[in-house]
Amino acid sequence: MKLDVKTLNAIGNLGRTFVLHSLRRAIRGRGKGDGKRTFMENYRADAFVALTPGERAALHGYEKCIACGVCASVCPVYSPARDGAYRAPDSITAALTRSFPDFTYARDAVYNCTRCRACETACPRGIKVPELVAMARRIAWRQDERGVRGMYAGVVGNLERTGNPFGEGTVQIGEFRREKAEYVFIAGCVARHRLRDKTLKTLEFLDGMGVNFTTVEETCCGNAYLALGMEDAAADAARALIRTVRRTGTDRVITLCPHCFHSFRTFRPYAEALKVSHTLQILRAAPGGAGAARAETVTYHDACFISRWAGLYDEPRKALADAGVSVAEMKRNRESAFCCGSPLGAFIEDAAVIESMRRERLAEAVDTGAEKLIAECPACVLAFSGIAGDGMKVQLLTEYLREKTP
């Protein structure tokens, strides 16, 4: 066994857990028959779960979990939910691979995970817990569609009725319709329906840099469906958006939304049909630079789906440096960045946990002494904007750079 830092952390956590568990058992003791009573109180008839060949094969990778507990120390949801409302990622992995439950009744494990990938990054075995959670949600939808609909009745109804999770009609952001454009710009549902003014600044900035793009009438890319386990509906949404993009004469897409970016990169219908870039990648490739220098200090939040999922760490920092801006890093940054806690894109259901997470992250930003908190994720910006005080302004990176451009 290779004794690297992750493995040593795992061994240390296992030893500590064993000692604490032994002490608790010695102090508390157990009455005769307690185990049987507990089992009977919690027992319910097993539900058969049909697995596809791919899902069954994937389980072998998750079964490598040794329950060392390292993931719990980095999980953003586990810390504020230690009253028992949410199990740590290792418990999820152990429970969902050894005995498949009726997933809608395991909702604390399956539906309170942001899929931020912090656990996978820290895991000494590299276990892909977020992918297990996504698989569990797909199975839950197949197994108990009515139960999942009951949990997310508003979101599912809005998606099916209007094509976006907010239940709102078509929104036009600016006049950027062009023929023979190189790219189609996809804002994403949050940017389009909740951050229209900020997104317009992004479009103006890209236009000023000379990026040749056009806009289209968007509907949800399908990420919201995928987050709920509705894979067939996600495929329908993807096919509709692909047709819309191809009608412009290009197969190249720029998106502001990290969740859309993730879907375009990883969901098969998109991966086989489109070429995608995030706005962070266009900043370095397009002509025109990032604007005039002005002395200022900001802090930058690494959004989960463009940091740990896509590895875009240097691009935003380089753009800020090119603009003459000093970046004060938060205590947890880059690969170890803490999730913003936004329910949008992940649809976690515990409101108290969401509030705790975003306040914890905002406190880290305030501690840097920076004047502004910058991110290139509409969901993150919306989460922080809802609680930031007068001392901390929250902006999209491209919005911020637009304001700095003469």
Side-chain angles (χ1 to χ4, degrees):
M1 179 185 293
K2 183 180 178 182
L3 293 180
D4 55 14
V5 173
K6 289 183 179 179
T7 303
L8 290 172
N9 283 340
I11 293 171
N13 269 275
L14 282 170
R16 183 173 62 85
T17 302
F18 175 76
V19 171
L20 290 174
H21 180 65
S22 298
L23 287 173
R24 281 195 295 267
R25 284 177 62 89
I27 294 171
R28 185 174 55 202
R30 295 186 68 175
K32 187 175 181 180
D34 282 352
K36 182 179 178 181
R37 276 195 297 272
T38 301
F39 174 82
M40 294 307 296
E41 287 170 1
N42 291 282
Y43 173 78
R44 56 185 299 275
D46 288 338
F48 288 101
V49 179
L51 301 179
T52 67
E55 289 166 346
R56 193 169 296 281
L59 284 179
H60 296 300
Y62 306 129
E63 289 170 348
K64 295 185 298 183
C65 176
I66 58 175
C68 66
V70 169
C71 54
S73 65
V74 298
C75 176
V77 179
Y78 180 63
S79 179
R82 282 183 179 167
D83 59 353
Y86 177 77
R87 287 171 277 179
D90 59 337
S91 297
I92 295 173
T93 307
L96 297 188
T97 57
R98 274 107 171 128
S99 177
F100 271 67
D102 184 335
F103 285 111
T104 49
Y105 286 90
R107 57 198 296 171
D108 65 307
V110 177
Y111 295 100
N112 273 328
C113 171
T114 68
R115 297 175 296 132
C116 73
R117 213 181 187 185
C119 55
E120 180 183 337
T121 303
C123 178
R125 307 298 298 274
I127 296 173
K128 303 179 185 299
V129 178
E131 293 182 12
L132 171 62
V133 168
M135 184 177 80
R137 292 183 183 186
R138 291 194 299 270
I139 296 170
W141 180 263
R142 296 202 307 262
Q143 181 191 43
D144 185 13
E145 177 182 330
R146 183 176 179 180
V148 180
R149 282 183 177 276
M151 292 165 59
Y152 295 102
V155 172
V156 174
N158 288 341
L159 284 167
E160 293 178 337
R161 188 175 66 257
T162 65
N164 66 78
F166 301 107
E168 298 173 356
T170 302
V171 173
Q172 178 67 38
I173 304 175
E175 293 295 333
F176 295 92
R177 298 293 177 91
R178 297 183 176 96
E179 294 184 3
K180 298 182 180 179
E182 183 179 2
Y183 298 96
V184 172
F185 178 86
I186 301 296
C189 295
V190 177
R192 193 170 64 252
H193 291 275
R194 291 295 179 267
L195 297 178
R196 277 172 279 185
D197 291 342
K198 291 179 176 293
T199 304
L200 179 59
K201 296 282 183 64
T202 295
L203 290 168
E204 291 171 349
F205 177 70
L206 294 176
D207 188 50
M209 292 178 70
V211 181
N212 181 16
F213 68 90
T214 187
T215 54
V216 294
E217 289 191 6
E218 294 179 40
T219 52
C220 179
C221 70
N223 179 78
Y225 294 105
L226 289 172
L228 297 173
M230 302 167 63
E231 191 168 33
D232 290 343
D236 290 340
R239 284 188 285 267
L241 188 53
I242 289 168
R243 287 194 296 270
T244 298
V245 170
R246 283 180 166 170
R247 279 196 291 267
T248 68
T250 184
D251 62 355
R252 303 182 72 181
V253 170
I254 303 172
T255 182
L256 173 62
C257 174
H259 297 275
C260 292
F261 183 56
H262 182 69
S263 295
F264 292 146
R265 291 172 64 239
T266 62
F267 192 38
R268 178 173 291 180
Y270 286 122
E272 294 176 347
L274 302 178
K275 301 178 180 69
V276 61
S277 298
H278 191 267
T279 49
L280 290 179
Q281 296 170 308
I282 297 298
L283 293 179
R284 300 183 69 178
R294 179 164 60 89
E296 190 170 38
T297 300
V298 303
T299 190
Y300 179 78
H301 168 72
D302 293 282
C304 302
F305 279 81
I306 47 176
S307 60
R308 281 181 291 269
W309 279 101
L312 301 182
Y313 298 106
D314 296 328
E315 289 81 352
R317 291 168 172 85
K318 185 179 187 302
L320 288 166
D322 288 347
V325 179
S326 175
V327 178
E329 297 285 5
M330 284 182 261
K331 179 176 65 176
R332 289 174 286 190
N333 61 77
R334 292 181 175 264
E335 190 178 70
S336 64
F338 192 75
C339 181
C340 75
S342 171
L344 300 169
F347 298 107
I348 63 174
E349 65 166 3
D350 193 322
V353 169
I354 292 169
E355 184 71 7
S356 175
M357 288 168 61
R358 60 182 187 160
R359 287 191 179 280
E360 183 172 347
R361 186 56 166 168
L362 184 62
E364 285 189 16
V366 172
D367 286 345
T368 66
E371 300 167 56
K372 294 177 180 177
L373 171 57
I374 306 297
E376 191 69 343
C377 172
C380 293
V381 168
L382 186 63
F384 294 134
S385 298
I387 58 172
D390 296 336
M392 179 64 70
K393 187 175 182 180
V394 185
Q395 291 185 288
L396 292 167
L397 173 64
T398 40
E399 171 200 10
Y400 174 72
L401 294 175
R402 170 66 182 89
E403 292 182 358
K404 291 178 65 60
T405 303

